[in-house]
Amino acid sequence: MWVKPQEVFQSALWDCDETTLYFVLQRRKGHGKSKGLSSIIVGTLDSVRDTKPAPFRILHQTPNSEIYYVIATALTEHEIREDWNWLFKNVSPTLHSFDSEEEVTEFVCCKINSIIATGQESITEDEDTVNYKNVDYDFHQRFNMPKDEKLVCYYSCSYWKGKMPRQGWLYLSVHYMCFYSYIFGRNTTLKIRWADVTELAKTNSLLFPDSIKVVTRDGEHYFTMLLKKNETFALMQQLANIAMKQLIDDKSGTFNTDKELLTKLSKNVPKKPSFLKRDLDAKKQSNLYTLRFRLPHAEKLDGTEECTLWTPYNKRHNWGRMYLSQNFICFDSRVSNLVRLIIPLRNVYQVEKADSGATSSSWGVWKEFLVHKISELLAKLPNDMYREKSGKAVASSRGEEREWTPQPPLMTLFKTHQTASIKQIQQKKEKQWEDHMAEVGRGVSMYRTTEGSELVVKGIPESLRGELWSVFSGSILQKVQSKGLYERLVKEALSSKNQANDEIERDLHRSLPEHPAFQNDVGISALRRVLCAYALKNPTIGYCQAMNIVASVLLIYCPEEQAFWLLATICETLLPDYYNTRVVGALVDQGVLEELTKSQLPDLHAKLDELGMMKMISLSWFLTLFISVMPYESAVNVMDCFFYDGAKVIFQVTLTILDVNKDKLLKCTEDGQAMQILSEYLEGISNEEAMALSTEPRTAKKTIKIQDLVYQSYRMYGANVSSECIEHLRLKHRLRVVRQLEDSLEKNTLRALQQDRLLEPNELQELLSIIREELFWAKRVPSERLEAPYEAYRLDYGQFKTIYTALSPWAKGDYAEAITARIFKLMDHDDDGLVSARGLSVGIGLSTRGDAQMRLRALYCAHAPPLLSPLELRPTHFTETGEELATDAISFFDSIEPASSPDPSLQRSISEVCSEGNQMDKSTDSAYSQAESSQAVDSVRACALLGLPSPGASTPGTPPPPRTAPALPRPHFLLLLAALHDLTQHSTPLYEAVARAGTVLLQLGELRHRPNLGREISQDSLYLAAAAQPSAIELDPNGNTTEQEPGRPQPSPSRDSDRDPTDDWSITLEQFLATMLTEATLEEFFNKQVSILPQLEALRQRDRLHSVS
Amino acid sequence: MSSRKKVLLKVIILGDSGVGKTSLMNQFVNKKFSNQYKATIGADFLTKEVIVDDRIVTMQIWDTAGQERFQSLGVAFYRGADCCVLVFDVTAPNTFKSLESWRDEFLIQASPRDPDNFPFVILGNKVDLDNRAVSAKRAQQWCQSKNDIPYFETSAKEAVNVELAFQTIARNALAQETEAELYNEFPDQIKLNANDNNRNRDGDNCAC
């Protein structure tokens, strides 16, 4: 790479590789070839200082000058050679024509500068600095990182290896944290995956002063002497959290960098070493911003500015900070909760045009830059007027075909008979709110003031709930952004049939059964639409019980579409990950609650912990927002505050409930008693300002007014439990919960795998950790509805091959690829191109631990007709030798599957090819219908696993699949024989034994080769066959061969299309086993137990470089 | 054994979502049936005093959430259980197939002292419905294959066999409890020690 010519000194740190009259090609000492003390010192210097120069460079110098100019640098020798050669071709010849050396230098510098200038365009797009690129290169080399692993940032620090601090560099990348130090010939390397981190903490102990502690399942690591400890720690937390989120959501491909940042409007972009770091910082800021103002997730913070806001309702200037993003201007006062304001830019547009003062605000410090920027942002907005118009047109044209109409709030249809006093209270509240909103405005842009929050705490009047919930939670913004989406989702969701819809259907009548609206179709249909539409919108959640309960209450107070968007906001923003397939969010918050209880109510925490209660209470309370434990008309008051203030509210209410009942709880002797106390208390929470519409009379003894409870919760815990504190604790507990879930999945998988009794537990453990490592780069399967725990780990062919060839003794010779492919097909039970962890462990286990019978049977089955695809067999028509076949098999897999590429499209392609292969089977074997063919495949697979517990067999009621393998036709048998030869070629006696057995078998097969036997299964010959050999018709009416007794010769599934004389040639499994096992050497060979621990260790070494010193 | 002290039995009801766990519990405890129950989230419980062999026994019945995603959260509730009731819906074969995994999950998570002899009871619920899909014979066979688990066909709606089933549950749980008592003199410590024992022996038992 050419660099701007710069004067440098010829220093001792460089070795000259080549010298010409005007140019010198140099290599950094300590790099590549040169060895010796000086190179070690240079290495240390480079490692200690953040100079990290590129290891190769070209200098320009004229013979009579002492001054050197560096004109090119490069990371690899190849690269520098390119530049070097270019110089010779293009520059050197012209240099002789100059008169003076100054002119030469001037020309060279000018030339290089111009090259750089022409390349300028690409350089501005290049987001990262040269220095960073060098480090990035080093990072990938040193830690053996895949190319697409991105380095985020690097910091100088010390790592405590034992009692010795090592000065070096901490590298933080998207998936790993690494440490490297190189001091006087001793290097220390550490590589930790974020996904393995269980705890991150800032500590300050005597032993490790002022350090960052990183805990993994393998141990603790301490880093000290960080220059920017807080920044480093924050970044570590953020990266670990991203890793956890990926584990939760099973979509690791979602980490996208935001290129828009490059063209960010802001002027003074801070200097950061990597673009990615800037990106992550920006993401974090935007996250906080969207959380604070409840804006849609996609909103990106553009900048903030100190300013004052003039509030018309009290005619005052308020100091605070203004936030700007693509679609919003927000303001938050410096005094917390004094005033907060959100203005969607599209409203600004309208206000300007209408020139009304609905959201008039004046900015104290109003810089020209800001005005400019806001107008820039405005210009970027799509033309709303147009969009709305077209939207309406679409809506009206569609209106006729719609089979349903969205429900208004159900409380408007099912009216309560309010007593006079309640009516009065409600009216009074409505009046208060009307007055308030007259002052502060209505809708998204209303000023959120202290008076407003006080009104919320007292409880929102029923008639305004729908509107205010939507405004406070920000769900109204989502609704506006996605116009028409709900309608489309409902249409699609109701016409589809899936598991989520079935589960929803079962729960519709179990949501809020006491409310009359849900005792007839009006409410039930609306609830069905909302839940089904959401399950379709967010498949990672689908449907989780408890959502039905929340949604039914939303429907009472809000119009249907609003209820849908409120539900979406709850599931995605307010209670993140709560309802996903592993209820992770609820578990995280369980941990958060536990920690809060411990710090706020220590003695009660000890008691509840002793009773084992901490894990019981929060689940239903949190998942249903108290609706399932309190009367719903009381729970909605908690929801008022929840939408206004966020998840902190449920924590403070929970703490208050525990606090109020503390004395009683402390006296409990067992968990049931404590649960009783709490549930009686909760059922008795009353709301005297509203009337419930319920067919179930509220008979519980009244304990407290909900208004009092909410008020107390703010008074006692409002200040101690802040949103920031909750977010922080969630981060911490997420690490722990995800680790636990992964561990328990792993534990269950191990337990299931051990039942095969092939590999030893410690081997399985190692194997599983290797599988996890291998899968880490690929997409994980959603762990929903797993038949068995090991199904969570599924490998495609590339991944399977990597591990299988490294571990199995069968995958060592020339046939490794072919055998691996056949075992893969054998283990791929559902033909989806993916094999589970069990498939792999059994595949390896059979080849190393099974007895001779098992191993030979597995090999036989892998070569049996339905499995061995005709694609692999085709060349038999041209050649009789096995070799070409095998290479063909190799190219078959190679062409469709570039090794170990996790690209889903490729993955699809292999499964497509596999199923295509089956279709070939089906189309050529006209005697086999689709179902029969798959049955035959199943029975072959089951036969291969004979003697192992089968996962489905113990399920009550389902008969175990038949376990028979068909006879092998000649071409199949030849392939099998070739494979056996390959396995035994290392030893002459074995090889000869195989040859002997092979000869016998070939003769045996020849015996069975009786042409014109009439065993054709084709339609017209059936009669003939029946007449010739009544007893030989082993086919049941379905054409199934499953009824055959083992040992009886079986017809091969012959093909009508290409009948040739060898067609009836066949060898049965029993013949094969018997013949092979008569050879004692072979029996011994196949009985030999092979340890795979050394291979496992080697694989592990390749994958992980743990502290090599 | 005399009725010298109050006995508390903890019974856990497990089974797929919608098989009628809550209804069975309420039929037994409150002698009434309602189709107005909310789906159970987390867990719920009721207590009832029954007389078994002249002893007054308090049954503490825990009703759990059935949806699959809650299955792994049950561990908090399983602890110290004396009997586990597995429920399926005779009109829904899938709920019958799940019994195996519910049973396994319970044994793994609760890790009782003697997993082979831990008292289970199977209830085939909703026999009042016409569209029956799991035959009594098939259910019976499966129960026999699992160490002769007692099997009852119930209807929470029409109160068929509910009383009888829970009597058996109480009796079997009590037998378990009595056995546990032999290990310890102080009733308050029974559960804790039983649990500790289990934890220590966990390693030996898990390969079952």
Side-chain angles (χ1 to χ4, degrees), chain A residues 63 453 739 1022:
Chain A
S453 359
R739 170 63 41 234
L1022 260 180

mmCIF file of all heavy atoms in Angstrom, chain A residues 63 453 739 1022:
data_model
loop_
_atom_site.group_PDB
_atom_site.id
_atom_site.type_symbol
_atom_site.label_atom_id
_atom_site.label_comp_id
_atom_site.label_asym_id
_atom_site.label_seq_id
_atom_site.Cartn_x
_atom_site.Cartn_y
_atom_site.Cartn_z
ATOM 1 N N PRO A 63 21.565 8.175 -3.693
ATOM 2 C CA PRO A 63 22.881 7.722 -3.221
ATOM 3 C C PRO A 63 23.606 8.765 -2.361
ATOM 4 O O PRO A 63 24.263 8.412 -1.400
ATOM 5 C CB PRO A 63 23.644 7.468 -4.515
ATOM 6 C CG PRO A 63 22.613 7.215 -5.532
ATOM 7 C CD PRO A 63 21.423 7.991 -5.136
ATOM 8 N N SER A 453 -47.394 12.799 36.371
ATOM 9 C CA SER A 453 -47.052 11.535 37.034
ATOM 10 C C SER A 453 -47.898 11.331 38.276
ATOM 11 O O SER A 453 -48.292 10.208 38.580
ATOM 12 C CB SER A 453 -45.566 11.464 37.398
ATOM 13 O OG SER A 453 -44.875 12.591 37.016
ATOM 14 N N ARG A 739 -26.188 -18.723 30.762
ATOM 15 C CA ARG A 739 -25.205 -19.771 31.042
ATOM 16 C C ARG A 739 -25.893 -20.992 31.651
ATOM 17 O O ARG A 739 -25.655 -22.125 31.254
ATOM 18 C CB ARG A 739 -24.137 -19.213 31.978
ATOM 19 C CG ARG A 739 -23.167 -20.198 32.558
ATOM 20 C CD ARG A 739 -22.317 -20.894 31.523
ATOM 21 N NE ARG A 739 -21.859 -20.011 30.479
ATOM 22 C CZ ARG A 739 -22.033 -20.228 29.183
ATOM 23 N NH1 ARG A 739 -22.665 -21.293 28.766
ATOM 24 N NH2 ARG A 739 -21.590 -19.391 28.292
ATOM 25 N N LEU A 1022 -46.313 -59.204 -11.552
ATOM 26 C CA LEU A 1022 -46.723 -59.625 -10.210
ATOM 27 C C LEU A 1022 -47.407 -60.984 -10.254
ATOM 28 O O LEU A 1022 -47.163 -61.848 -9.422
ATOM 29 C CB LEU A 1022 -47.682 -58.597 -9.606
ATOM 30 C CG LEU A 1022 -47.042 -57.625 -8.617
ATOM 31 C CD1 LEU A 1022 -48.086 -56.659 -8.091
ATOM 32 C CD2 LEU A 1022 -46.390 -58.398 -7.489
#
